[in-house]
Amino acid sequence: MPDNITDLSMSPNNSSLFYIFNTENSAVGITASSLGDKKNQIFSSPFTEWLSQWPNNRMITLTTKPSSMVSGFMYYIDPSIKKLTKILNGINGLTTLTSPSGKLILYNDNSLSLRIYNTSTKDSMSLGIKTMPEKCIWNNTSTTLYCAVPKYLSGNNFPDVWYQGEVSFSDEIWKINTENGSSTNIADPSSFTRGEEIDGIKLSLDEGENYLFFINKKDSYLWELKIK
């Protein structure tokens, strides 16, 4: 594998991987087996700043790296036919998280307002919550989201200031029904961390969806929350 890989995603069954590396004039996307062989180029772009996700076997998503002052774009690739399709565009500060079904896209803008875009109906629904998709996780059936949601927001120029460490959050854990948009505050981590504030990232669920795992961005410690 090349040394200058800028982004990498695993397939849902972990048997394959997709990675992006930069050449002199472009970014190149490659699928390969988890051992690094059986390589197949499926993507090339003169723009080199991409974030990928592999939510299901039929879809790999690509989102431009975000900035509050720059319009973001999202595409998906069908790896079997190498077809690139635009999904979202012209959204400043755009970050995304695709559901396992591939039909729903969680996204936000530079105000951190969360919305869900339905790729079938082309409709967009506001969730009435302010956080970032990278602070959320879909359940296996794409019907529920769990998100680390800041209790309060200060400053502007999101998500840049959060990425740069100029702003840190104190989060609560919210459960969101993606079918009707209802949301429930299910935990305040500071209540079981002896007052320690949590800025939650890299959320994940166990197979039975009994436990929610997350990392505190402030110190990189791993936490577990029993949700059932």
Side-chain angles (χ1 to χ4, degrees):
M1 295 176 67
D3 294 330
N4 55 336
I5 291 175
T6 59
D7 188 81
L8 186 148
S9 295
M10 298 296 297
S11 64
N13 61 8
N14 294 321
S15 64
S16 302
L17 53 87
F18 171 77
Y19 62 89
I20 300 172
F21 69 96
N22 292 339
T23 65
E24 235 179 80
N25 302 311
S26 65
V28 176
I30 303 289
T31 56
S33 75
S34 56
L35 298 177
D37 58 358
K38 301 179 182 177
K39 296 178 182 178
N40 184 24
Q41 180 177 329
I42 65 169
F43 171 74
S44 178
S45 169
F47 184 78
T48 58
E49 301 288 324
W50 296 100
L51 297 172
S52 67
Q53 185 191 352
W54 198 333
N56 60 58
N57 292 329
R58 304 176 308 280
M59 172 188 283
I60 296 173
T61 66
L62 293 168
T63 304
T64 51
K65 289 186 178 180
S67 173
S68 63
M69 304 301 292
V70 177
S71 293
F73 295 77
M74 179 188 180
Y75 302 83
Y76 80 82
I77 303 172
D78 184 331
S80 62
I81 60 175
K82 306 178 185 180
K83 181 182 178 182
L84 187 68
T85 303
K86 184 188 294 183
I87 300 178
L88 296 168
N89 67 280
I91 301 172
N92 284 24
L94 174 70
T95 61
T96 66
L97 183 68
T98 305
S99 67
S101 68
K103 294 181 179 178
L104 301 175
I105 311 295
L106 181 70
Y107 72 98
N108 73 303
D109 58 17
N110 56 5
S111 73
L112 303 191
S113 297
L114 274 190
R115 302 184 68 88
I116 291 179
Y117 178 75
N118 189 311
T119 59
S120 298
T121 64
K122 313 300 182 186
D123 292 328
S124 179
M125 175 178 68
S126 173
L127 296 180
I129 286 176
K130 291 197 172 187
T131 188
M132 289 177 279
E134 51 265 62
K135 295 169 70 68
C136 298
I137 185 69
W138 289 94
N139 73 338
N140 291 329
T141 58
S142 304
T143 57
T144 302
L145 280 162
Y146 293 91
C147 293
V149 179
K151 297 177 184 178
Y152 52 86
L153 292 172
S154 60
N156 47 32
N157 295 328
F158 291 110
D160 308 52
V161 291
W162 182 74
Y163 286 145
Q164 295 162 358
E166 296 178 15
V167 169
S168 185
F169 298 139
S170 176
D171 292 336
E172 297 170 327
I173 305 299
W174 286 69
K175 180 180 179 180
I176 303 165
N177 183 320
T178 60
E179 296 179 316
N180 59 26
S182 64
S183 56
T184 306
N185 184 340
I186 62 172
D188 181 350
S190 63
S191 66
F192 57 82
T193 60
R194 299 180 180 178
E196 181 179 348
E197 294 186 343
I198 299 292
D199 190 350
I201 58 171
K202 299 185 183 299
L203 278 67
S204 63
L205 293 165
D206 72 305
E207 188 173 347
E209 298 181 17
N210 297 306
Y211 295 91
L212 176 70
F213 302 91
F214 52 87
I215 290 174
N216 188 357
K217 185 175 181 285
K218 299 176 188 289
D219 55 20
S220 297
Y221 279 19
L222 175 67
W223 291 87
E224 169 194 279
L225 173 66
K226 188 174 182 179
I227 54 178
K228 288 187 179 179

mmCIF file of all heavy atoms in Angstrom, residues 12 40 45 57 63 76 100 110 163 167 205 225:
data_model
loop_
_atom_site.group_PDB
_atom_site.id
_atom_site.type_symbol
_atom_site.label_atom_id
_atom_site.label_comp_id
_atom_site.label_asym_id
_atom_site.label_seq_id
_atom_site.Cartn_x
_atom_site.Cartn_y
_atom_site.Cartn_z
ATOM 1 N N PRO A 12 -18.470 -2.956 5.450
ATOM 2 C CA PRO A 12 -19.235 -3.369 6.638
ATOM 3 C C PRO A 12 -18.816 -4.722 7.208
ATOM 4 O O PRO A 12 -18.868 -4.919 8.420
ATOM 5 C CB PRO A 12 -20.681 -3.405 6.118
ATOM 6 C CG PRO A 12 -20.694 -2.435 4.992
ATOM 7 C CD PRO A 12 -19.353 -2.546 4.344
ATOM 8 N N ASN A 40 -8.271 -2.152 -7.012
ATOM 9 C CA ASN A 40 -9.107 -1.696 -8.117
ATOM 10 C C ASN A 40 -9.361 -0.199 -7.957
ATOM 11 O O ASN A 40 -9.949 0.231 -6.964
ATOM 12 C CB ASN A 40 -10.426 -2.467 -8.120
ATOM 13 C CG ASN A 40 -11.295 -2.110 -9.300
ATOM 14 O OD1 ASN A 40 -10.814 -1.661 -10.340
ATOM 15 N ND2 ASN A 40 -12.584 -2.307 -9.149
ATOM 16 N N SER A 45 -9.877 12.381 -8.689
ATOM 17 C CA SER A 45 -10.368 13.756 -8.663
ATOM 18 C C SER A 45 -9.192 14.707 -8.534
ATOM 19 O O SER A 45 -8.242 14.440 -7.795
ATOM 20 C CB SER A 45 -11.321 13.955 -7.480
ATOM 21 O OG SER A 45 -11.620 15.322 -7.283
ATOM 22 N N ASN A 57 -22.496 -2.525 1.078
ATOM 23 C CA ASN A 57 -21.737 -3.069 -0.047
ATOM 24 C C ASN A 57 -21.974 -2.343 -1.354
ATOM 25 O O ASN A 57 -21.162 -2.431 -2.277
ATOM 26 C CB ASN A 57 -22.067 -4.563 -0.223
ATOM 27 C CG ASN A 57 -21.559 -5.399 0.927
ATOM 28 O OD1 ASN A 57 -20.547 -5.065 1.534
ATOM 29 N ND2 ASN A 57 -22.262 -6.479 1.248
ATOM 30 N N THR A 63 -17.145 12.881 1.082
ATOM 31 C CA THR A 63 -17.529 14.234 1.473
ATOM 32 C C THR A 63 -16.280 15.097 1.526
ATOM 33 O O THR A 63 -15.243 14.671 2.048
ATOM 34 C CB THR A 63 -18.220 14.241 2.853
ATOM 35 O OG1 THR A 63 -19.341 13.353 2.833
ATOM 36 C CG2 THR A 63 -18.691 15.644 3.213
ATOM 37 N N TYR A 76 -21.692 9.775 -3.748
ATOM 38 C CA TYR A 76 -21.494 8.363 -3.453
ATOM 39 C C TYR A 76 -21.046 7.637 -4.710
ATOM 40 O O TYR A 76 -21.343 8.037 -5.836
ATOM 41 C CB TYR A 76 -22.738 7.713 -2.832
ATOM 42 C CG TYR A 76 -23.838 7.306 -3.780
ATOM 43 C CD1 TYR A 76 -23.775 6.091 -4.478
ATOM 44 C CD2 TYR A 76 -24.977 8.083 -3.932
ATOM 45 C CE1 TYR A 76 -24.798 5.698 -5.324
ATOM 46 C CE2 TYR A 76 -26.007 7.702 -4.777
ATOM 47 C CZ TYR A 76 -25.906 6.495 -5.473
ATOM 48 O OH TYR A 76 -26.913 6.111 -6.311
ATOM 49 N N PRO A 100 -26.719 2.818 7.625
ATOM 50 C CA PRO A 100 -26.352 1.520 7.051
ATOM 51 C C PRO A 100 -27.156 1.170 5.797
ATOM 52 O O PRO A 100 -26.638 0.511 4.887
ATOM 53 C CB PRO A 100 -26.644 0.534 8.187
ATOM 54 C CG PRO A 100 -26.473 1.352 9.432
ATOM 55 C CD PRO A 100 -26.987 2.714 9.074
ATOM 56 N N ASN A 110 -22.597 24.980 9.010
ATOM 57 C CA ASN A 110 -21.680 25.635 9.934
ATOM 58 C C ASN A 110 -22.357 26.213 11.174
ATOM 59 O O ASN A 110 -21.690 26.775 12.041
ATOM 60 C CB ASN A 110 -20.866 26.725 9.216
ATOM 61 C CG ASN A 110 -21.734 27.759 8.534
ATOM 62 O OD1 ASN A 110 -22.961 27.748 8.655
ATOM 63 N ND2 ASN A 110 -21.116 28.667 7.803
ATOM 64 N N TYR A 163 -12.354 21.404 15.487
ATOM 65 C CA TYR A 163 -11.250 20.578 14.985
ATOM 66 C C TYR A 163 -9.909 21.093 15.485
ATOM 67 O O TYR A 163 -9.006 20.315 15.808
ATOM 68 C CB TYR A 163 -11.237 20.583 13.451
ATOM 69 C CG TYR A 163 -12.314 19.776 12.786
ATOM 70 C CD1 TYR A 163 -12.894 20.195 11.591
ATOM 71 C CD2 TYR A 163 -12.766 18.582 13.331
ATOM 72 C CE1 TYR A 163 -13.885 19.460 10.970
ATOM 73 C CE2 TYR A 163 -13.759 17.841 12.719
ATOM 74 C CZ TYR A 163 -14.309 18.280 11.534
ATOM 75 O OH TYR A 163 -15.286 17.549 10.911
ATOM 76 N N VAL A 167 -12.247 25.269 20.711
ATOM 77 C CA VAL A 167 -13.505 25.117 21.429
ATOM 78 C C VAL A 167 -13.669 23.654 21.799
ATOM 79 O O VAL A 167 -13.365 22.762 21.008
ATOM 80 C CB VAL A 167 -14.702 25.574 20.561
ATOM 81 C CG1 VAL A 167 -16.024 25.168 21.200
ATOM 82 C CG2 VAL A 167 -14.655 27.086 20.353
ATOM 83 N N LEU A 205 -21.884 1.199 18.776
ATOM 84 C CA LEU A 205 -22.825 0.359 19.509
ATOM 85 C C LEU A 205 -22.369 -1.093 19.455
ATOM 86 O O LEU A 205 -21.772 -1.524 18.463
ATOM 87 C CB LEU A 205 -24.227 0.459 18.894
ATOM 88 C CG LEU A 205 -24.959 1.795 18.998
ATOM 89 C CD1 LEU A 205 -26.138 1.825 18.033
ATOM 90 C CD2 LEU A 205 -25.442 2.025 20.433
ATOM 91 N N LEU A 225 -21.551 3.343 28.050
ATOM 92 C CA LEU A 225 -22.838 3.720 28.629
ATOM 93 C C LEU A 225 -23.842 2.621 28.346
ATOM 94 O O LEU A 225 -24.075 2.276 27.184
ATOM 95 C CB LEU A 225 -23.341 5.040 28.057
ATOM 96 C CG LEU A 225 -24.755 5.480 28.453
ATOM 97 C CD1 LEU A 225 -24.820 5.789 29.948
ATOM 98 C CD2 LEU A 225 -25.204 6.686 27.630
#
